Amino acid sequence: MNQQNDNSSSQALNDVQLTALSRAVSGFSEDQLIWASGYLSGLSAHARHSVLDVSGALVQAEQPMLTVLYGTQTGNTKHEAQAFSNHIASKGAKTKLVNMSDYKPRKIKDETHLVVFVSTHGEGDAPDAAIELYEFLASKKAPRLTNLSYAIVGLGDTSYEFFCQTGKDFDSRLAALGARPIIARLDCDVDYNDDIASWSQSVTSLLIASLSPAEAANTLNNIPVNQQEKLPPENKYSKQNPFTAALLSCVKITGRGSVKDIQHAEISLEGSNLQYLPGDSLGVYFTNDGALAERVIRATGTTADALVTIKGETVSLKTALIEKRELTLSYPGFVKAYLAATKDAGLQAILDDKPALRTFLEERQIVDIVEQFPNTITAQDLIDALRPISPRLYSIASSQSEVDDEVHLTVAHIDYQAFGSRHQGGASGFLATRLDEGAKMKVFVENNMNFRLPTNPDTPIIMIGPGTGIAPFRAFMQEREALGAAGKNWLFFGNPSFTQDFLYQVEWQRYLKEGLLSKISLAFSRDQANKIYVQDRLLENGKEVYEWLEQGAHFYVCGDAMHMAKDVEKALLNIIQTHGSKSEQEAKHYVVDMRKTKRYQKDVY
């Protein structure tokens, strides 16, 4: 017993040392205490890991590297990965921020600390940037990763069936290869700011000791530089701090007989100094229809002037429903929360049947659910059951080289009759019917580094953009015209009818006449007995498409992710096999190489 006491006392601080340490850290903030913890751990690591070289000199062990990988189709995931990388680097960690499209999968065997940020698209699909690493980890070539500690953040949307599936897949595959999770995977819904902030603090506190430098810094300010890729300068305004813009106009550009209502919106960015590039998106915040809010209030037995609290702010229920809560998109989380508050047996039966729930949600907005299952619920419970309004992202349909301090959008106005009433999309209904010209709206630019024109203006491009997928290619042409780019341009466009749905027809015909547009291939599905789509036009022109690809053409796809984009990729693989005399496997490698060299880019939704 005495021997044990002696051993433990020899390892502890004496009274003088403990007093000195207490004085040294007095007044430290939480972040500084975390850093100091890592600093002291680094001193300990120095004693453990310093080794003698052949000459007998003391050599310091190299500071561990944290690799932060991100896989994104647009930009949100990149922003969050960058913010986390900066945060943990500021605590003394050595970090490397890498786009998955630039990461060599075999390098993962050399990693010791890894944090992954990845989004999910379509039916649980990985974003293009993540595909190569995603498939490698699932293959027989994947190495054992017993020396790897990792954390995963998945970004998604609970209104989709395969919520955060890519993040879940990365988590399960890394674990199966022997890697150890630092913390439980974080699955983020559209309102994720608070969740990621809390997660970031937790991961930092768990990681910082193992990432601290082996050779201690002299001062708290002697922090290693964060090693990460160069990023474009950020705009003053962002998703968290949107700019208050003015709607200049919003005009329907499909014919009276069209089955679609497509609107062309022009928005003033005057005074914002917001900059965007062709391929970027505009985030649009919107408010709900007041009549819709009143219907929800009636169905739930609440009152419009009842007070509710959202993140410390107290407002009336009606104000909250109009300005702060999602009322158009339906999602399982609302059904679960509404059921918990109302105990409705009919709703319970639907929730227990997953296929039925999926169909139920696809057909209904929030108002349809509460009107089908009217119940008395408190105003606060109702607000807590609903998720915050999330801005909608629209591919920008203009180039600032052409329109200066304006931004143009091509908006599909969702507008239909169901369950005895008119239904509209949240943002599309706001722009098309509830916002007058000159009225104010909140917007921000979302950079999309995965959808960019070639840096060489002589490079040919092939653009596949049916429906509103035409938007970024209008921006591409405006930009190339302004630059005097010599590269060839080929557009594949499709919609139901030539006379009703040829979006921006006059502009495309002018580009064709003047030679900026080298070729246009049109697919109007309902203008003949057999429906024709853009993928059919691709196959018809397969020989020439392959010739363009061999000349170095970049291949762009914008529009529907669920069907069109997949059908186009099948057509592309078919063309490469047929006209390139390649096997199926060789054609797949050809497409992978196109992705890696950023010659195959998609903006799909």
Side-chain angles (χ1 to χ4, degrees):
M1 177 69 71
N2 290 337
Q3 185 177 3
Q4 288 176 344
N5 286 341
D6 289 341
N7 286 341
S8 83
S9 65
S10 68
Q11 295 170 1
L13 300 178
N14 60 37
D15 291 343
V16 173
Q17 291 170 323
L18 184 59
T19 300
L21 178 62
S22 299
R23 287 175 178 172
V25 300
S26 177
F28 274 26
S29 67
E30 180 181 355
D31 283 350
Q32 289 172 324
L33 286 170
I34 292 174
W35 192 96
S37 172
Y39 175 90
L40 293 171
S41 178
L43 290 176
S44 173
H46 169 69
R48 293 195 307 272
H49 299 301
S50 295
V51 297
L52 293 176
D53 68 11
V54 291
S55 67
L58 192 64
V59 178
Q60 306 299 337
E62 185 178 356
Q63 180 182 358
M65 172 74 77
L66 170 66
T67 298
V68 181
L69 289 178
Y70 65 89
T72 179
Q73 202 70 38
T74 53
N76 280 342
T77 312
K78 177 179 179 177
H79 294 329
E80 297 307 326
Q82 178 190 0
F84 172 73
S85 182
N86 290 341
H87 169 72
I88 196 165
S90 73
K91 304 295 183 289
K94 184 179 179 183
T95 72
K96 179 173 62 177
L97 179 67
V98 187
N99 186 336
M100 286 187 189
S101 64
D102 299 325
Y103 187 76
K104 294 180 179 178
R106 292 183 185 277
K107 291 289 291 180
I108 199 166
K109 69 181 186 300
D110 301 323
E111 305 286 2
T112 58
H113 299 82
L114 180 70
V115 173
V116 174
F117 289 77
V118 67
S119 59
T120 297
H121 297 270
E123 297 177 326
D125 300 325
D128 286 350
I131 288 175
E132 188 178 10
L133 178 60
Y134 181 86
E135 292 180 346
F136 175 78
L137 292 176
S139 73
K140 294 180 180 179
K141 297 178 181 179
R144 294 291 295 169
L145 301 173
T146 52
N147 293 324
L148 178 65
S149 297
Y150 74 92
I152 304 281
V153 176
L155 276 76
D157 184 336
T158 52
S159 62
Y160 289 91
E161 179 182 359
F162 299 97
F163 172 62
C164 288
Q165 188 61 49
T166 306
K168 295 172 183 176
D169 291 344
F170 267 105
D171 190 13
S172 62
R173 289 172 186 179
L174 289 173
L177 293 169
R180 301 175 304 281
I182 299 163
I183 193 173
R185 184 189 70 250
L186 176 65
D187 295 334
C188 297
D189 201 357
V190 291
D191 182 41
Y192 54 73
N193 292 334
D194 291 344
D195 290 338
I196 288 186
S198 175
W199 172 92
S200 180
Q201 292 293 338
S202 298
V203 172
T204 299
S205 63
L206 292 168
L207 269 176
I208 198 64
S210 62
L211 292 173
S212 294
E215 182 172 6
N218 293 326
T219 69
L220 289 178
N221 292 324
N222 187 8
I223 297 172
V225 175
N226 181 23
Q227 299 179 9
Q228 61 185 17
E229 65 179 24
K230 295 282 187 181
L231 295 168
E234 293 188 358
N235 284 306
K236 173 183 177 182
Y237 297 98
S238 63
K239 182 178 180 181
Q240 290 72 36
N241 178 37
F243 174 66
T244 302
L247 179 68
L248 298 175
S249 64
C250 191
V251 180
K252 184 178 180 181
I253 55 174
T254 43
R256 290 184 179 181
S258 175
V259 295
K260 297 183 176 183
D261 178 3
I262 308 300
Q263 304 270 333
H264 174 75
E266 299 187 355
I267 298 162
S268 172
L269 300 178
E270 185 176 0
S272 69
N273 200 32
L274 275 170
Q275 303 294 308
Y276 61 85
L277 292 173
D280 287 340
S281 297
L282 190 77
V284 175
Y285 280 98
F286 62 94
T287 57
N288 291 307
D289 187 352
L292 193 66
E294 290 171 359
R295 288 171 58 191
V296 171
I297 289 168
R298 286 195 297 271
T300 55
T302 52
T303 58
D305 57 358
L307 296 180
V308 295
T309 301
I310 300 175
K311 292 185 176 180
E313 180 185 3
T314 300
V315 296
S316 72
L317 174 61
K318 186 173 181 180
T319 297
L321 292 176
I322 292 173
E323 299 180 3
K324 298 180 180 296
R325 285 298 187 251
E326 180 68 67
L327 295 184
T328 48
L329 292 179
S330 298
Y331 47 96
F334 172 74
V335 177
K336 292 176 183 177
Y338 188 61
L339 173 64
T342 62
K343 307 294 189 294
D344 193 298
L347 205 53
Q348 180 69 65
I350 292 172
L351 192 62
D352 291 341
D353 186 342
K354 286 191 175 180
L357 177 63
R358 194 158 56 245
T359 302
F360 178 80
L361 294 175
E362 286 174 355
E363 296 175 346
R364 290 165 176 80
Q365 294 185 340
I366 296 295
V367 68
D368 302 313
I369 298 173
V370 297
E371 286 184 339
Q372 183 174 346
F373 298 96
N375 281 281
T376 299
I377 183 173
T378 70
Q380 190 64 53
D381 282 346
L382 175 60
I383 288 301
D384 292 343
L386 294 164
R387 73 182 185 190
I389 285 179
S390 60
R392 305 296 194 257
L393 289 177
Y394 291 99
S395 301
I396 292 175
S398 57
S399 163
Q400 284 189 299
S401 300
E402 172 80 16
V403 302
D404 196 18
D405 58 1
E406 293 181 11
V407 61
H408 297 178
L409 306 178
T410 309
V411 178
H413 179 203
I414 299 171
D415 189 8
Y416 61 96
Q417 290 289 322
F419 307 105
S421 65
R422 184 186 188 186
H423 288 60
Q424 291 183 289
S428 66
F430 173 71
L431 286 167
T433 64
R434 297 198 300 279
L435 201 63
D436 295 329
E437 291 185 3
K440 301 299 183 181
M441 56 188 293
K442 293 182 178 180
V443 302
F444 61 94
V445 171
E446 188 74 46
N447 296 124
N448 186 356
M449 300 302 291
N450 295 320
F451 206 76
R452 287 284 187 255
L453 278 166
T455 53
N456 183 350
D458 295 338
T459 303
I461 64 173
I462 299 171
M463 304 166 284
I464 294 87
T468 56
I470 197 76
F473 303 132
R474 181 176 185 263
F476 278 17
M477 289 299 94
Q478 288 182 0
E479 182 77 359
R480 285 205 136 184
E481 182 177 42
L483 294 175
K488 297 186 295 182
N489 306 292
W490 188 350
L491 174 70
F492 286 82
F493 173 71
N495 237 349
S497 167
F498 176 88
T499 59
Q500 302 293 317
D501 305 301
F502 193 169
L503 306 182
Y504 306 111
Q505 178 182 353
V506 173
E507 294 180 27
W508 291 113
Q509 289 176 335
R510 178 177 71 81
Y511 289 143
L512 192 62
K513 181 179 178 180
E514 294 176 355
L516 179 66
L517 186 64
S518 309
K519 189 165 183 176
I520 188 167
S521 297
L522 302 171
F524 292 103
S525 59
R526 302 189 183 185
D527 282 355
Q528 60 284 310
N530 297 322
K531 291 186 177 180
I532 297 175
Y533 300 103
V534 287
Q535 60 267 25
D536 301 315
R537 295 302 189 207
L538 274 169
L539 291 170
E540 289 173 8
N541 292 274
K543 183 175 182 295
E544 189 173 0
V545 168
Y546 185 72
E547 289 172 355
W548 278 49
L549 294 178
E550 286 292 279
Q551 293 165 16
H554 286 214
F555 191 88
Y556 299 91
V557 183
C558 183
D560 168 50
M562 300 292 282
H563 303 291
M564 182 276 296
K566 293 179 179 179
D567 291 338
V568 164
E569 182 155 320
K570 288 178 185 176
L572 177 62
L573 287 165
N574 183 302
I575 287 168
I576 294 166
Q577 277 186 259
T578 303
H579 300 284
S581 300
K582 299 184 186 299
S583 67
E584 181 179 353
Q585 196 61 33
E586 287 172 334
K588 288 181 178 179
H589 283 309
Y590 191 102
V591 170
V592 168
D593 286 341
M594 287 178 64
R595 281 200 189 99
K596 290 174 69 174
T597 55
K598 300 189 185 299
R599 289 180 52 218
Y600 179 23
Q601 300 184 36
K602 294 190 291 186
D603 177 10
V604 295
Y605 35 85

